[in-house]
Amino acid sequence: QRAGKMAAPMELFCWSGGWGLPSVDLDSLAVLTYARFTGAPLKVHKITNPWQSPSGTLPALRTSHGEVISVPHKIITHLRKEKYNADYDLSARQGADTLAFMSLLEEKLLPVLIHTFWVDTKNYVEVTRKWYAEATPFPLNFFLPGRMQRRFVERLQLLCGEHRPENEEELEKELYHEARECLTLLSQRLGSQKFFFGDAPASLDAFVFGYLALLLQAKLPSGKLQAHLRGLQNLCAYCTHILSLYFPWDGAEVPPPRPTTAGPDTEEEPNRRRNQILSVLAGLAAMVGYALLSGIVSIQRATPARATSTRSLSMAEEDEE
């Protein structure tokens, strides 16, 4: 008991919520869901500034020993080591099925999700960039969405590999065809069950929910795959069930009244005053850097001239100004 009192709580830093979801980020949503499944005692910081994360990226877990983990699978592995294991009761065959479906999600569904939110022009401009530009603080909102888009495009290229068609239309057609098949397979595998392996959720459910809920909840102007998902009633009911059972307030349109003191496991904006000061300083630094790089402001080293009269000195000062 003494050791438990002395140990610092585990802290999870993740992207804040939107679109009726506890987080708008795929990886953050999967880790949050797994933590809720297992009841892991995490102090959750839902933020919109990656600089507030100890790793500079989201999601990130600070362990009770001060170690920082920023890869979703490694975060879940650490929670398992701390005896918060959603797969504890799975058989060997179910464990193999988990690996197979995880591979299927990453290969067939993840590329289309990236394309839908970060490559499709209408969706990116009207939904994705709009949310991040409004949510992130100044001056991050000017360049962070574009920076994130470039990283996701690079990730998409890695996922597609060398066998991707050169024609973008052919690539898109192929990606969406495989994604629709993946969703249909997930629907058939789930059937009428509450979760993929029965009545209790497992790690596979955390990732499937993260993929599907993001696609289901966002109001996309270009939603080809979204329309296919909405036609699979059991997958829609599956997402609604998890959202209402494990995130009864996080997904609500109108959040409950915020208490005067932070709750034991959630903190929306840690150290608010410090973060405001840092944001202002970061904004000033960004503006000065931009002005210098763009040539709006230039710094010249002036050599002191031996003025012969007060008039020539005053003229030199006026020229320098």
Side-chain angles (χ1 to χ4, degrees):
Q1 288 179 350
R2 289 180 180 177
K5 289 180 180 179
M6 294 177 62
M10 292 186 291
E11 297 180 80
L12 178 65
F13 297 79
C14 61
W15 278 104
S16 184
W19 311 329
L21 295 172
S23 178
V24 300
D25 175 63
L26 176 64
D27 293 333
S28 296
L29 188 55
V31 173
L32 269 174
T33 305
Y34 182 88
R36 287 291 175 92
F37 285 168
T38 60
L42 297 178
K43 186 176 184 180
V44 179
H45 304 287
K46 294 183 181 180
I47 56 180
T48 56
N49 184 353
W51 290 359
Q52 294 175 1
S53 164
S55 66
T57 59
L58 296 171
L61 177 73
R62 180 185 283 136
T63 70
S64 55
H65 302 292
E67 180 187 0
V68 176
I69 307 172
S70 57
V71 179
H73 288 282
K74 292 183 178 180
I75 292 175
I76 290 177
T77 299
H78 178 79
L79 293 178
R80 286 175 177 166
K81 290 179 181 178
E82 295 292 321
K83 299 187 182 348
Y84 300 103
N85 188 357
D87 297 341
Y88 181 79
D89 293 326
L90 296 186
S91 65
R93 179 169 182 175
Q94 289 172 332
D97 287 345
T98 298
L99 294 177
F101 274 98
M102 290 293 295
S103 177
L104 182 70
L105 289 173
E106 186 169 341
E107 182 180 349
K108 304 299 183 183
L109 202 52
L110 179 58
V112 174
L113 283 177
I114 294 176
H115 189 278
T116 298
F117 285 93
W118 296 97
V119 178
D120 186 287
T121 304
K122 291 189 70 175
N123 291 338
Y124 173 68
V125 171
E126 298 181 26
V127 179
T128 311
R129 188 178 68 182
K130 183 176 184 291
W131 187 90
Y132 282 95
E134 292 177 353
T136 52
F138 174 85
L140 290 180
N141 55 348
F142 282 102
F143 60 86
L144 185 61
R147 181 185 177 190
M148 293 178 67
Q149 184 192 37
R150 288 191 293 272
R151 289 187 175 181
F152 274 107
V153 169
E154 292 174 359
R155 189 176 177 184
L156 177 61
Q157 292 172 346
L158 289 174
L159 288 170
C160 293
E162 299 177 356
H163 303 290
R164 56 177 294 181
E166 295 183 1
N167 189 328
E168 289 297 326
E169 292 184 1
E170 287 295 324
L171 173 63
E172 182 178 343
K173 183 178 179 181
E174 180 180 323
L175 289 178
Y176 279 82
H177 174 72
E178 293 179 348
R180 284 192 293 268
E181 289 184 341
C182 178
L183 289 179
T184 302
L185 181 61
L186 288 173
S187 176
Q188 294 171 351
R189 177 66 178 81
L190 178 65
S192 59
Q193 300 179 110
K194 291 182 179 179
F195 302 100
F196 277 88
F197 297 114
D199 293 332
S203 61
L204 176 61
D205 294 285
F207 283 94
V208 171
F209 171 75
Y211 281 73
L212 300 188
L214 198 64
L215 182 63
L216 189 64
Q217 291 290 111
K219 297 179 180 179
L220 301 172
S222 177
K224 290 172 284 189
L225 188 62
Q226 188 181 63
H228 183 74
L229 174 59
R230 288 177 174 172
L232 302 171
Q233 295 298 323
N234 63 335
L235 290 183
C236 296
Y238 168 83
C239 292
T240 303
H241 172 69
I242 292 178
L243 196 61
S244 61
L245 185 61
Y246 292 96
F247 302 99
W249 295 116
D250 304 68
E253 292 296 330
V254 180
R258 297 182 62 179
T260 54
T261 57
D265 64 344
T266 302
E267 183 179 330
E268 290 290 332
E269 295 281 349
N271 303 317
R272 181 182 296 272
R273 186 173 182 82
R274 183 199 65 183
N275 295 334
Q276 288 175 344
I277 295 173
L278 290 176
S279 297
V280 171
L281 293 176
L284 292 174
M287 286 189 293
V288 171
Y290 176 78
L292 291 172
L293 291 174
S294 61
I296 297 175
V297 175
S298 62
I299 299 177
Q300 297 179 352
R301 180 177 296 175
T303 58
R306 296 181 178 178
T308 57
S309 65
T310 305
R311 181 180 179 184
S312 61
L313 179 59
S314 61
M315 290 177 63
E317 289 178 348
E318 291 176 358
D319 291 342
E320 188 175 349
E321 290 176 357

